[in-house]
Amino acid sequence: MRTNYIGERITRLRLAKGLSEYSLSKHIGKCESYINKVSSGHITPSLDMLNTICEFFGLTLSEFFQEDAPPFSPTAAKITSLLPELSEEELKSLLVIVESMKNREKEEN
């Protein structure tokens, strides 16, 4: 793993969402220069803060460290972040919808 993997990964996620370092710092409740310091490798976030950053982007810690994980679109990240709020029945209904959309896409191709 690269020396500043965490800072580089946060930068890629931030840019994909169109956020400034200042804006992300404020969204996670830190001082305005916090993300700049993380991105530049001057500081490393604590595990709790890294988890907060991951939650903001709709990622688990495991997903954050998967180098080959495809980037989520902002819409997919938003959906992912809302999943924990759904009941088991709602999740099952959502799965049926997504699977039917995927099957329809396969049939069209």
Side-chain angles (χ1 to χ4, degrees), residues 17 56-59 72-82:
K17 276 195 129 199
F56 176 82
F57 287 111
L59 299 171
F72 280 118
S73 71
T75 303
K78 179 68 174 173
I79 291 168
T80 303
S81 72
L82 295 172

Side-chain angles (χ1 to χ4, degrees), residues 4 7 10 12 15 17 23 25 31 33 37 43 46 53 58 67 70 74 90 92 103:
N4 190 25
I10 290 170
R12 286 192 307 275
L15 292 174
K17 276 195 129 199
S23 177
S25 295
C31 71
S33 62
K37 291 176 184 175
I43 62 172
S46 68
I53 293 167
E67 295 254 2
E90 290 168 327
K92 287 177 183 177
N103 290 336

Side-chain angles (χ1 to χ4, degrees), residues 1 9-10 12 16-17 27-28 37 47 58 70 75 81 83 85 87-89 98 100:
M1 189 176 293
R9 179 82 161 116
I10 290 170
R12 286 192 307 275
K17 276 195 129 199
H27 277 296
I28 61 169
K37 291 176 184 175
L47 188 54
T75 303
S81 72
L83 292 177
E85 299 174 24
S87 70
E88 187 64 25
E89 285 302 311
V98 172
S100 79

Side-chain angles (χ1 to χ4, degrees), residues 13-59:
L13 291 167
R14 176 182 63 75
L15 292 174
K17 276 195 129 199
L19 294 170
S20 67
E21 291 174 336
Y22 172 86
S23 177
L24 179 55
S25 295
K26 290 302 183 183
H27 277 296
I28 61 169
K30 298 301 273 184
C31 71
E32 60 190 47
S33 62
Y34 180 78
I35 292 298
N36 177 270
K37 291 176 184 175
V38 171
S39 294
S40 64
H42 288 96
I43 62 172
T44 301
S46 68
L47 188 54
D48 284 341
M49 183 49 57
L50 184 56
N51 193 49
T52 297
I53 293 167
C54 287
E55 287 175 356
F56 176 82
F57 287 111
L59 299 171

